[in-house]
């Protein structure tokens, strides 16, 4: 979500893909949660959801790719002025927008009485970290930005071997171990595993992974392994989620989590694949093609698309548009494309107003 005079084309492509994947994720997720477990439509929604779980982790990797690069001039003051301040403003503006919209819909469309105390409680959700369901990302990324000056000390001096070690630690203790703990508890309550490394149970691993994989040069064999494991992860997530949900009789999201092993493997595969396909092209040069400029322009709107799409989705759900008259095979991509296009158009127009660039 960062503007660069000399833009990296594969990063722009990843931003656009991730923004669209977030829309697909929420469109499919709405259908998945409101469809009978085990039905044909439910399986289709599950498949789409499994295909795009990498969306948010990719955004985190892209932030780490740029902010942890020692070659980028970035002091603590600039991090707070340019990045943290912008996100904090977005939290306030969009938190108020979504909460006030919710109050208005409840009062004037659903005709529910909203007391003054209830309205105050709604607005108090903003500073307590639950401004709206998808805005959790803003609170998380602020935490990573705050730690960035310290993380950059590591990347300035770390070797490739040390970077690989760091990623292995996060993968083992931050992603695999928590899943193992949940699995053991499901087998028997007494099999509680108390071993934890709290410092690794967050999105810092993806943050560092973005920097490390942006600098890494993988052989064809290594890329082949990454692609094979990533594709396998898609199937494990879809089949595993279906099995656990049908067995338990309710939707089970343990494999859907951003910090699950299969999501991590999907994310790395998507990052490496797009980098390999698009990594030799840059935008911002005289030789840039119309396609690269278009991708660059859409990329600059992805923050706004992320923030706005939930509102557009809500309007469509209330209007019954999300279901359409097609099978989910068609309705999910079509509705997602429609929401993405509307969100992009509104964002593009709003960004023409200078003040709007501060929060989208």
């Amino acid at each position: 979500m960062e503007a660069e005079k000399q833009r990296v084309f594969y990063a722009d492509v990843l931003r656009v893909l991730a923004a669209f994947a977030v829309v697909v994720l929420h469109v499919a997720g709405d259908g998945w949660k409101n469809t009978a477990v085990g039905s044909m439509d439910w399986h289709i929604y599950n498949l789409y959801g499994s295909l795009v779980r990498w969306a948010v982790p990719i955004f985190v990797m892209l932030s780490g790719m740029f902010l942890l690069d020692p070659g980028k001039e970035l002091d603590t003051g600039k991090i707070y002025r340019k990045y943290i301040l912008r996100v904090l403003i977005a939290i306030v503006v969009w938190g108020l927008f979504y909460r006030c919209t919710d109050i208005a819909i409840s009062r004037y469309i659903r005709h529910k009485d909203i007391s003054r105390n209830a309205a105050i409680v709604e607005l108090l959700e903003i500073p307590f970290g639950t401004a709206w369901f998808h805005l959790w990302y803003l609170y998380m990324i602020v935490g990573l930005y705050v730690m960035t000056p310290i993380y950059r000390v590591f990347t300035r001096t770390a070797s490739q071997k040390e970077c690989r070690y760091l990623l292995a630690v996060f993968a083992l203790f931050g992603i695999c171990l928590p899943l193992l703990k949940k699995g053991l508890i499901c087998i028997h309550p007494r099999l509680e595993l108390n071993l934890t490394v709290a410092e690794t149970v967050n999105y810092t691993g993806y943050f560092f992974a973005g920097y490390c994989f942006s600098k890494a040069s993988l052989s064809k064999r290594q890329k082949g392994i990454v692609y094979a494991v990533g594709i396998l992860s898609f199937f494990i997530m879809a089949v595993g989620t279906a099995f656990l949900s049908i067995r338990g009789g309710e939707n089970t999201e343990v494999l859907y989590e951003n910090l699950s092993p299969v999501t991590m493997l999907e994310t790395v595969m998507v990052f490496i694949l797009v980098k390999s396909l698009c990594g030799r092209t840059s935008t911002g040069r005289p030789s840039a093609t119309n396609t690269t400029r278009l991708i660059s322009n859409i990329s600059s709107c992805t923050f706004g698309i992320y923030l706005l799409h939930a509102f557009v989705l809500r309007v469509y759900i209330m209007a019954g548009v999300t279901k359409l008259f097609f099978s989910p095979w068609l309705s999910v991509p079509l509705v997602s494309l429609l929401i993405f296009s509307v969100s992009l158009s509104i964002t593009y127009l709003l960004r023409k107003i200078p003040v709007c660039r501060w929060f989208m």
Side-chain angles (χ1 to χ4, degrees):
M1 298 183 185
E2 173 180 334
E4 294 286 323
K5 291 181 180 179
Q6 184 65 45
R7 300 185 71 96
V8 180
F9 181 60
Y10 80 83
D12 282 333
V13 173
L14 281 169
R15 283 192 195 92
V16 174
L17 290 176
F20 182 71
V22 166
V23 179
V24 174
L25 184 65
H26 290 150
V27 171
D30 175 70
W32 186 70
K33 292 175 181 178
N34 294 289
T35 305
V37 174
S39 65
M40 179 57 67
D41 284 356
W42 183 91
H43 282 293
I44 296 172
Y45 289 126
N46 173 47
L47 180 60
Y48 274 117
S50 298
L51 287 172
V52 293
R53 299 310 299 191
W54 47 267
V56 171
I58 282 291
F59 277 133
V60 181
M61 288 184 70
L62 288 169
S63 292
M65 170 181 166
F66 290 107
L67 298 185
L68 296 181
D69 186 353
K72 180 180 177 64
E73 294 184 9
L74 191 65
D75 58 29
T76 302
K78 185 176 181 180
I79 291 172
Y80 275 82
R81 290 190 306 271
K82 184 175 180 180
Y83 300 97
I84 295 178
L85 180 60
R86 184 189 183 197
V87 176
L88 291 177
I89 292 173
I91 288 173
V92 174
V93 171
W94 290 98
L96 287 172
F97 173 78
Y98 279 105
R99 286 296 168 182
C100 290
T101 300
D102 192 46
I103 293 171
I105 290 174
S106 297
R107 184 179 180 89
Y108 299 109
I109 296 180
R110 296 173 180 166
H111 303 292
K112 294 182 179 179
D113 291 329
I114 303 295
S115 66
R116 180 181 298 177
N117 288 340
I120 292 173
V121 170
E122 283 264 0
L123 296 178
L124 284 177
E125 297 285 347
I126 299 170
F128 288 106
T130 51
W132 204 248
F133 76 92
H134 70 305
L135 298 183
W136 68 268
Y137 175 82
L138 302 184
Y139 299 86
M140 178 273 294
I141 204 67
V142 165
L144 291 178
Y145 287 166
V146 168
M147 295 301 296
T148 293
I150 299 173
Y151 294 157
R152 283 172 60 86
V153 174
F154 174 83
T155 57
R156 274 199 299 267
T157 59
S159 64
Q160 282 290 319
K161 183 178 181 180
E162 290 166 332
C163 286
R164 288 195 295 269
Y165 171 77
L166 181 68
L167 294 182
V169 169
F170 275 107
L172 178 61
F173 292 100
I175 294 181
C176 295
L177 188 61
L179 183 63
L180 176 61
K181 290 177 64 175
K182 293 177 182 178
L184 291 174
I185 287 292
C186 290
I187 295 173
H188 196 283
R190 295 188 64 180
L191 295 177
E192 183 176 2
L193 183 63
N194 291 315
L195 174 62
T196 59
V197 181
E199 292 77 10
T200 65
V201 189
N202 55 44
Y203 287 81
T204 305
Y206 285 122
F207 202 54
F208 274 102
Y211 165 73
C212 294
F213 283 112
S214 70
K215 300 298 183 183
S217 297
L218 302 183
S219 65
K220 289 185 178 180
R221 180 175 178 275
Q222 290 171 325
K223 290 179 183 178
I225 294 173
V226 170
Y227 300 154
V229 173
I231 293 172
L232 179 62
S233 297
F234 287 127
F235 289 100
I236 292 175
M237 182 180 292
V239 175
T241 298
F243 173 78
L244 293 173
S245 297
I246 294 172
R247 181 185 180 187
E250 60 182 5
N251 290 332
T252 302
E253 301 185 36
V254 62
L255 296 179
Y256 271 2
E257 295 176 358
N258 291 327
L259 297 176
S260 78
V262 282
T263 302
M264 175 195 69
L265 294 171
E266 282 186 7
T267 305
V268 172
M269 186 208 75
V270 171
F271 189 95
I272 295 299
L273 177 62
V274 174
K275 179 187 174 185
S276 297
L277 295 175
C278 309
R280 295 182 180 180
T281 308
S282 296
T283 55
R285 293 179 176 176
S287 60
T289 65
N290 291 333
T291 300
T292 58
R293 291 194 186 97
L294 175 62
I295 294 296
S296 174
N297 289 332
I298 298 175
S299 175
S300 67
C301 294
T302 52
F303 189 34
I305 293 170
Y306 181 88
L307 295 168
L308 185 62
H309 82 277
F311 173 73
V312 180
L313 173 60
R314 186 175 193 180
V315 172
Y316 284 5
I317 290 174
M318 292 173 61
V321 176
T322 53
K323 300 184 184 303
L324 294 178
F325 300 103
F326 307 108
S327 161
W329 283 120
L330 290 174
S331 65
V332 170
L334 288 176
V335 171
S336 298
L337 184 60
L338 186 59
I339 292 174
F340 182 86
S341 300
V342 171
S343 301
L344 171 61
S345 299
I346 296 174
T347 299
Y348 179 79
L349 293 174
L350 288 177
R351 280 176 58 83
K352 294 293 185 180
I353 305 171
V355 69
C356 291
R357 291 176 177 264
W358 276 94
F359 53 84
M360 65 187 313

